[in-house]
Amino acid sequence: MAFLEIENVYKSFGKTDVLKGVSFSLEKGEVLSIIGSSGSGKTTLLRCLNFLEKPDMGVFYLNGGELFNANTQYDDHELRQKRLSFGLVFQSFNLFPQYTALKNVTLALDLQKIEKAKKLGKVTKAQKAEIYAENEKIAKELLSSVGLEEKMGNYPCELSGGQQQRVAIARALALSPEVLCFDEPTSALDPELTGEVLRAIKELKSSDRTMIIVTHEMDFAKHVSDKVIFMANGVIEEVGTPEEVFDNPKSPLTRAFLAKSEEVI
Amino acid sequence: MFWKVFGDLCLGFLTTLEIFALTLVIAIPLGLLVAFGTMSKFKPLKWLLVGFVWIIRGTPLMLQLFIVCYGPGLIGLPPVKDPMVATIIAFGINYACYFSVIYKGGIESITQGQREAGLVLGMTKTQIFFKIILFQVIRRILAPMSNETITLVKDTSLANTIMVPELIKQANVIAKSFAMNYLTMLLYTAVFYLIFNGLLTILFNKIEKKMSFYKV
Ligand SMILES: Nc1ncnc2c1ncn2[C@@H]1O[C@H](COP(=O)(O)OP(=O)(O)OP(=O)(O)O)[C@@H](O)[C@H]1O
Ligand SMILES: [Mg+2]
């Protein structure tokens, strides 16, 4: 069994069937790119993986165990635990405007560690300070790794779109998710800023970071991915290595989509 | 002239301040509960509260004051003896309803993206509300809240209709006992309202500045 196995995901909104049986698998450390035209269900798939939407049908396996089954009812607490296996970087960043870049990265980690400590008994001021210091150290390293050591004390409104998205990436990494998802991380950016974000994502690639990237940047997808999925109308129309999908697409739909995206460039 | 009655007017103003402060203490948290209620997924609760807010906002505060004060007695219940208590109940409920509408607008104006960002970071709904949403809501609603607060200062004068010895009532009493012109006395009360509202405006501006360290 692969590291991540997604089986037969169905999702509809009212009468609109958006996902119509999506299955794929991914090995640890692999990068999967998902391409496809607007409305094909890419965002919905990522949202299902992060439990922001509840799939109508489908099973997720992670690390050899069943993580989620649409037939099982989970309470808020269970869903929260499951969510931590996945991270999500949004198209529109969604940074917290009232916190500095650093605090954006540490916030969830602080809350999580204090909650854990509280389970063991009363948390003293000193213990809290220790947790904060520890998380600050982690956050500083992460922010430096995406090239933002100079901007840690800045508020999101003081950062460019590209910098904001890199903060969002550091924020998602702070919780060390097993699988990190990106939903068109550069679509909201001016063209001259996409490069810095794509480079940052590329540098994250390592043997133990599994990533799923929805993107319209074909060149990027081609170079960074181990596996590419082309989605059309709520199903996986084609899947393969970047060479297979980009250079020798089998499906006529894939061919048409790629031809069109080249036209745009 | 002014100074001769200043002390007595101050007594009235203290009562005014008391109505003002107690109303806020009740209405600020109660309004939040009402706001959550009107946003509830439990439809009966939601519609009950939406209807209640509609009635309270659609009828004069003075009418509500009379109903709270004299209503119980009329239907055979023990009457509210202290008009001050009736005033605080009526004002507290009335302002809670106004505040709830402001809160609701503020909460709904925070994008779903902020909540979802919290969720994918494994935060609980409570954590998301208190650590992410609340501050942004407060900032958004500061201006309308400051308007309502200033209106409240002036609305306290309605309590004189049920014999609460607030500033206007006190001015009336003083005018009679000193045989002074009532209109002059009312103009004196204006000084109190103006100065207090001026201070409130300065305070709200300060808070607004403090919270404006980020752009929206
Ligand atoms: N909450 C929702 N309620 C109703 N319909 C929805 C909802 N979310 C998505 N849809 C519909 O599902 C379909 C797929 O949407 P989705 O956002 O997943 O597409 P996408 O592949 O991400 O497109 P894009 O490239 O434009 O981002 C669309 O037709 C959309 O209108
Ligand atoms: Mg999308």
Side-chain angles (χ1 to χ4, degrees), chain A residues 92-103:
Chain A
S92 49
F93 330 138
N94 294 340
L95 292 180
F96 308 130
Q98 72 268 44
Y99 295 129
T100 60
L102 189 68
K103 184 82 194 270

Side-chain angles (χ1 to χ4, degrees), chain B residues 136-208:
Chain B
Q136 298 181 47
V137 171
I138 292 175
R139 197 186 134 161
R140 291 269 168 104
I141 67 173
L142 211 55
M145 286 298 279
S146 107
N147 276 335
E148 287 300 325
T149 308
I150 283 167
T151 305
L152 170 61
V153 173
K154 295 170 288 177
D155 273 357
T156 54
S157 61
L158 286 173
N160 98 84
T161 59
I162 57 167
M163 304 301 154
V164 175
E166 51 67 66
L167 190 51
I168 297 281
K169 183 79 209 158
Q170 194 70 355
N172 192 338
V173 172
I174 297 168
K176 272 186 194 147
S177 63
F178 284 78
M180 275 160 59
N181 186 324
Y182 185 35
L183 186 64
T184 316
M185 202 56 70
L186 282 180
L187 284 179
Y188 287 166
T189 67
V191 175
F192 285 86
Y193 291 116
L194 279 174
I195 291 179
F196 187 54
N197 271 335
L199 291 176
L200 281 179
T201 308
I202 293 171
L203 176 70
F204 270 109
N205 283 343
K206 276 225 163 99
I207 301 176
E208 208 160 331

